[in-house]
Amino acid sequence: TLGLHPHEAKLFDKTFVDAMVKEIHDYVAVGETGIDYHYDFSSPEIQKESFRYHIDLSIRVNKPLVIHCRESVDDIYALLAERKSEYNERPGIMHCYVENWEWAKKFLEMGFYLSFAGVITFKNADMLRDVARNAPLDRILIETDSPYLAPIPYRGKQNRPAYVAKRFEQRSEE
């Protein structure tokens, strides 16, 4: 994928846009992009501007979005809804999904996939497990978000793709 993570949105300018337009055809998706209000690495205004640009580019080149959404679900949804009629059938992925079922239904209705990382194994993730139980199986993805968000029993360690397979092996044995 090719995009500008919201932490780095402060780098969003004409030079970045020109480079992205030139290179995007060599990639399968646009992103990781989005809005992150948890950290103050880039201002909310520039994150929204960058996210709008990524949405527009994904529509223009007919490539899915990979969306980072942290403490910003209202704004993410509003910006996506503005362009809803222009998306293809599968507009992208809600990366490291951590919102509730009500939000999940809205994103699923727009055509997005929900991608779950190791957070779903944490003790305090009952709400997230409920979302995974209710979401259509053909719209769920599993990811590592390596090197972050290692699943139980690896929490606190550097995450690795092998942990996804290991976790499913453990579940099938239980």
Side-chain angles (χ1 to χ4, degrees):
T1 66
L2 179 64
L4 192 58
H5 190 281
H7 292 179
E8 302 302 324
K10 60 187 168 276
L11 303 175
F12 182 74
D13 63 10
K14 184 178 180 343
T15 302
F16 172 80
V17 168
D18 291 346
M20 194 166 170
V21 167
K22 181 179 175 185
E23 300 293 327
I24 193 62
H25 298 286
D26 295 333
Y27 294 84
V28 298
V30 176
E32 174 178 348
T33 183
I35 302 172
D36 187 321
Y37 292 148
H38 184 77
Y39 294 108
D40 190 27
F41 296 132
S42 294
S43 74
E45 295 76 24
I46 195 69
Q47 288 186 65
K48 288 178 190 176
E49 182 181 350
S50 174
F51 186 46
R52 279 187 188 99
Y53 171 75
H54 285 79
I55 293 169
D56 180 67
L57 182 62
S58 76
I59 291 167
R60 282 190 287 138
V61 298
N62 196 29
K63 293 184 186 264
L65 283 166
V66 177
I67 299 173
H68 176 105
C69 177
R70 188 156 187 201
E71 298 176 15
S72 59
V73 69
D74 293 306
D75 287 343
I76 291 282
Y77 183 79
L79 292 171
L80 290 171
E82 288 176 1
R83 305 292 296 274
K84 181 180 176 180
S85 66
E86 299 172 72
Y87 297 132
N88 67 25
E89 187 175 308
R90 297 288 180 248
I93 299 167
M94 298 304 298
H95 160 69
C96 280
Y97 189 79
V98 294
E99 300 299 333
N100 64 31
W101 176 238
E102 294 307 311
W103 280 113
K105 287 189 289 189
K106 292 178 181 184
F107 291 117
L108 289 166
E109 185 178 288
M110 275 192 199
F112 284 88
Y113 288 79
L114 305 177
S115 186
F116 298 99
V119 175
I120 201 165
T121 68
F122 297 177
K123 289 179 184 175
N124 63 350
D126 288 335
M127 175 191 72
L128 199 52
R129 286 186 287 276
D130 182 55
V131 171
R133 274 191 291 279
N134 286 294
L137 288 177
D138 65 345
R139 301 286 286 290
I140 293 175
L141 300 167
I142 299 167
E143 64 176 285
T144 62
D145 198 35
S146 182
Y148 308 108
L149 303 175
I152 302 296
Y154 307 104
R155 189 171 183 183
K157 297 180 181 178
Q158 184 173 343
N159 202 356
R160 299 176 39 205
Y163 294 164
V164 172
K166 185 68 174 167
R167 188 68 191 151
F168 281 101
E169 288 170 16
Q170 289 173 337
R171 284 282 185 209
S172 64
E173 294 169 3
E174 293 174 358

